Every structure is written in structure tokens, then in C-alpha cells.
């Protein structure tokens, strides 16, 4: 016979069973990296489907999770805008299949290379669709990271040296979900009162209260941060501060030099040692810099075997698609001259399916919004 659990106990058990937020963000960003390595619409659609399935089964009921639909709508808008630009401004891709011819606007001589209107070809539109779909997939992957682990949870796991920067980034990232929630709430309230919520009039009637609420939230947040002593730092000796700055700056320079060496044929011998030395120096600098941060972590998220599996699945997808783009670029970048239907390469498609591994190795989150009895995750 089941016994009732206290809400706090159930929430604590839920958060302890959750995967580390950094693992979800690394998984999603790895999928976004994989999306940048191909313009094949079939592979991109497979990446979107894999991320959407994991989000549908493992997202938590937080304001950030509801922003996934907004990121998907933004991705569709980016794709449509890319097609509109290709139609109105032309494309450098020549083509023989003319779809329509728009009236061309004559431009002055200093605007050579730019045209308004003219002939619109199928090759140009297909090329624009491939390019726009790649960016749309990247946006959807970022939305998946927000849905699976909100930026607030991720902030708890940042090193102390990056805490203040992380707070600023989290405040910026959480602005959009709260704004979307305010718009939905106000539109629903206006519909219940029989007032218009669409068109220019509805936009003005909804937009002004949303702006007012955003300003009030900003003032309240600033007051709360000041009351909690945000920005306080411990007294650190000057020698430690100089060592921290030297390690961090030198590490970043080493990472840049090592990455450049890996990207060039001549730097293959020194690229990896410089990259590893730069990462080690930067991590040492971040650890020393954390001494200035006076804070503690309440119920920290553990980095366990499941977090390693989630991160490894995303990294494997990014690495295998990067390898496939170098080994068979024609399969991952289908051409439009001549205009042919894209084909699905088998082993890159199988590599993308590795992104579904978190759906099977991570238990379904009991705070999933599809579960009507799920407890709310504290924000």
C-alpha cells in the first residue's frame, strides 16, 4: 500500500534523481554542433526529431520548459525569413529552373552585386532552405537545453569565478520565458473578458502590461539581489589575484592557439599540447578565482554515470558527424546544381540516433508536465 509523501520530500527525491543540468546543456549544444556540420535536410530533421522526443519525455514543469515551443516557432520564422530574403534579394546560386520573375528595382552603381527582385529559381530557394534549416535546428537544440535544464539550475553548478557572469546570463535567458508566460496569461484573461487579443489593438493592449510587468520584475530582482549581498567578494591577497589572472588569460590564449593549430596543417604537432595546457591553466585559474565568491550550494546536483552517458551521447553525435562531413562531404552537403533529391546516408543517420540514448538511460522525470500528479519543481 502506497504511503503519502510530503511535498518537500518528494521534490527533494525528484531533484536528486535528476541528471546534472550541465550534462543536458552539453548534450544539446553537441547536437547543435552536429547540426552545423551538415545541410542535409533529412539528417537535420532526424536531429530535430531526436531532441524533441527527449524533451517530450524528460522535460520538467518550469517556465523555461514552456519556452521550447517558442524556440520552435522562432526556428520556423528564421527559415521563412531566409526564404524571403532569397526571393526578394536574389541568390548567388545560378539556376535553370525558373519559378517566377519579380519586377526588378534598378539600383545605383555603388550597389553592385545587390539586386531587388528579378528571377527566382528553384535552386536558389532550395539552397536557402538548406541553409535556413541548419540555423533553425541550432535554435531548436538551444530550446531543448532550456526545456531539459533551466538556466537557474545550471547556475548552481558554475565555478565560483564565473558566478557573477553566470547570474547575468541567467537573468537574460530567463527574461524570454517569463515574457512569453506573461503574454499567454494576459491574452487568456482578455479572451475570458470578451476583449480582442489579436491585431494591432490587441497587441497594444497586451504589450503595455507586459512591459510594465517586466519593469516591475527588474526592479524587484535588483532589490532582492542587493538585499542578499550580491557582488560581495572575499579578501584575496594580491599575489593570488595576479596568479589567477595570469592562469586564466594564459589558458585562454593557449586554447585559442591550440585550436588554431588543430585547424591548420602546419600546426598539427603543437596544436594538441597547447590546447591541453591551455585548458589545464584555465581550469586552475577558475579554481583560484572561486575563492573570491562567498556562497554555498544548497542540494548540489551530482555528476554521476548518467550525466556521463548523456554528455557522451551528444559528443559522439557531434564527433561522428564531423568525421562524416570530412569523409563524405557530398552526402552531408547535398548539392543544388544539378537539382537532385537529398539522400539519407546510413551511418551518419545511425550516429544521429545516438542522441536518443538519454531517453532510455535516464528515468523519466516525475515532474514531466504530461504527468498530472507530478510535483512542481521549485524555481
Amino acid at each position: 500500500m502506497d504511503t503519502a509523501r510530503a511535498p518537500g520530500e518528494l521534490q527533494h527525491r525528484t531533484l536528486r534523481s535528476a541528471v546534472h543540468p550541465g550534462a543536458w546543456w552539453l548534450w544539446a549544444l553537441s547536437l547543435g554542433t552536429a547540426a552545423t556540420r551538415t545541410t542535409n535536410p533529412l539528417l537535420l530533421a532526424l536531429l530535430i526529431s531526436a531532441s524533441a522526443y527527449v524533451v517530450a519525455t524528460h522535460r520538467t514543469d518550469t517556465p523555461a520548459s514552456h519556452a521550447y515551443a517558442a524556440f520552435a516557432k522562432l526556428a520556423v520564422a528564421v527559415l521563412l525569413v531566409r526564404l524571403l530574403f532569397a526571393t526578394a534579394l536574389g541568390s548567388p546560386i545560378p539556376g535553370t529552373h525558373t519559378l517566377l520573375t519579380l519586377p526588378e528595382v534598378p539600383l545605383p552603381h555603388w550597389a553592385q552585386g545587390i539586386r531587388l527582385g528579378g528571377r527566382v529559381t528553384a535552386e536558389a530557394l532550395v539552397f536557402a532552405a538548406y541553409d535556413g534549416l541548419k540555423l533553425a535546428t541550432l535554435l531548436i537544440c538551444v530550446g531543448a537545453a532550456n526545456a531539459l535544464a533551466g538556466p537557474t539550475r545550471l547556475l548552481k553548478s558554475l565555478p565560483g569565478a564565473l558566478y557573477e557572469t553566470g547570474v547575468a546570463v541567467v537573468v537574460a535567458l530567463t527574461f524570454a520565458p517569463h515574457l512569453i508566460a506573461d503574454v499567454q496569461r494576459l491574452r487568456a484573461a482578455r479572451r475570458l473578458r470578451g476583449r480582442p487579443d489579436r491585431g494591432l489593438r490587441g497587441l497594444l493592449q497586451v504589450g503595455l502590461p507586459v512591459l510594465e510587468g517586466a519593469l516591475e520584475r527588474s526592479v524587484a530582482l535588483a532589490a532582492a539581489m542587493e538585499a542578499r549581498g550580491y557582488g560581495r567578494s572575499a579578501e584575496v591577497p594580491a599575489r593570488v589575484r595576479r596568479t589567477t589572472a595570469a592562469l586564466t588569460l594564459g589558458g585562454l590564449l593557449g586554447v585559442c592557439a591550440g585550436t588554431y593549430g588543430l585547424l591548420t596543417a602546419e600546426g598539427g604537432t603543437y596544436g594538441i599540447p597547447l590546447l591541453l595546457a591551455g585548458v589545464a591553466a584555465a581550469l586552475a585559474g577558475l579554481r583560484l578565482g572561486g575563492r573570491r565568491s562567498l556562497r554555498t550550494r544548497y542540494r548540489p546536483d551530482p555528476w554521476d554515470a548518467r550525466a556521463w552517458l548523456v554528455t557522451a551521447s551528444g559528443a559522439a553525435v557531434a564527433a561522428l558527424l564531423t568525421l562524416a562531413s570530412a569523409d563524405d562531404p557530398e552526402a552531408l552537403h547535398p548539392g543544388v546544381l544539378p537539382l537532385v533529391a537529398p539522400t539519407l546516408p546510413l551511418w551518419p543517420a545511425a550516429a544521429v540516433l545516438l542522441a536518443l540514448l538519454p531517453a532510455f538511460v535516464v528515468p523519466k522525470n516525475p515532474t514531466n508536465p504530461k504527468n498530472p500528479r507530478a510535483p512542481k519543481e521549485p524555481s
Side-chain angles (χ1 to χ4, degrees):
M1 184 175 182
D2 295 337
T3 58
R5 294 179 181 268
E9 180 185 356
L10 185 58
Q11 288 176 353
H12 180 43
R13 180 176 59 86
T14 296
L15 292 180
R16 288 189 63 184
S17 63
V19 178
H20 194 282
W24 284 124
W25 276 84
L26 290 175
W27 173 82
L29 294 179
S30 297
L31 295 189
T33 303
T36 63
R37 310 310 301 173
T38 179
T39 56
N40 190 315
L42 301 179
L43 289 177
L44 293 174
L46 202 57
L47 280 170
I48 293 174
S49 302
S51 63
Y53 180 77
V54 176
V55 167
T57 55
H58 288 78
R59 70 175 181 175
T60 55
D61 191 12
T62 59
S65 66
H66 299 290
Y68 181 74
F71 275 95
K73 293 177 182 178
L74 178 62
V76 173
V78 167
L79 179 59
L80 294 178
V81 168
R82 183 67 179 87
L83 291 174
L84 179 62
F85 280 0
T87 302
L89 302 179
S91 174
I93 303 299
T96 57
H97 299 80
T98 303
L99 298 179
L100 71 157
T101 302
L102 299 176
E104 188 169 355
V105 178
L107 297 176
H109 67 280
W110 50 265
Q112 295 294 328
I114 303 175
R115 69 176 179 86
L116 296 176
R119 192 166 62 96
V120 180
T121 63
E123 289 84 355
L125 288 183
V126 170
F127 178 80
Y130 288 170
D131 194 41
L133 185 60
K134 179 172 67 174
L135 182 56
T137 306
L138 183 59
L139 289 173
I140 290 177
C141 291
V142 175
N146 280 273
L148 292 168
T152 305
R153 279 188 61 204
L154 184 64
L155 177 63
K156 295 197 309 179
S157 305
L158 284 179
L162 299 178
Y163 181 70
E164 295 182 0
T165 304
V167 169
V169 174
V170 166
V171 170
L173 288 177
T174 54
F175 177 78
H178 285 295
L179 200 65
I180 294 169
D182 288 346
V183 171
Q184 293 175 348
R185 177 176 54 83
L186 289 171
R187 290 184 62 185
R190 290 185 62 83
R191 285 195 298 267
L192 290 175
R193 292 177 174 85
R195 298 177 181 177
D197 62 322
R198 298 181 181 275
L200 181 59
R201 181 180 177 184
L203 179 63
L204 293 176
Q205 295 295 329
V206 171
L208 291 179
V210 168
L211 180 60
E212 181 182 359
L215 292 176
E216 291 179 354
R217 191 181 301 113
S218 301
V219 174
L221 178 62
M225 292 172 67
E226 183 177 1
R228 288 166 173 80
Y230 172 76
R232 290 185 306 167
S233 59
E235 291 294 335
V236 179
R239 177 175 55 83
V240 176
R241 289 200 304 268
R242 289 193 293 267
T243 304
T244 301
L247 285 174
T248 305
L249 182 59
L252 293 177
L253 290 176
V255 169
C256 294
T259 304
Y260 176 78
L262 292 177
L263 295 177
T264 58
E266 296 81 4
T269 56
Y270 66 85
I272 294 180
L274 266 181
L275 181 61
L276 294 177
V279 170
L283 291 177
L286 291 177
R287 185 171 182 83
L288 283 177
R291 296 183 179 181
R292 299 181 64 249
S293 178
L294 296 174
R295 69 187 186 98
T296 58
R297 289 186 175 91
Y298 178 66
R299 291 177 180 174
D301 294 297
W303 187 281
D304 52 11
R306 294 176 303 174
W308 283 112
L309 287 174
V310 170
T311 305
S313 65
V317 175
L320 290 175
L321 281 192
T322 302
L323 180 62
S325 65
D327 182 61
D328 190 7
E330 294 182 359
L332 270 68
H333 300 276
V336 296
L337 295 174
L339 190 61
V340 294
T343 59
L344 182 64
L346 294 182
W347 79 266
V352 173
L353 293 179
L354 291 176
L356 292 172
L357 183 63
F360 302 101
V361 300
V362 178
K364 292 186 178 180
N365 201 319
T367 61
N368 190 298
K370 290 187 176 181
N371 183 3
R373 301 178 64 183
K376 303 292 184 180
E377 180 183 351
S379 57

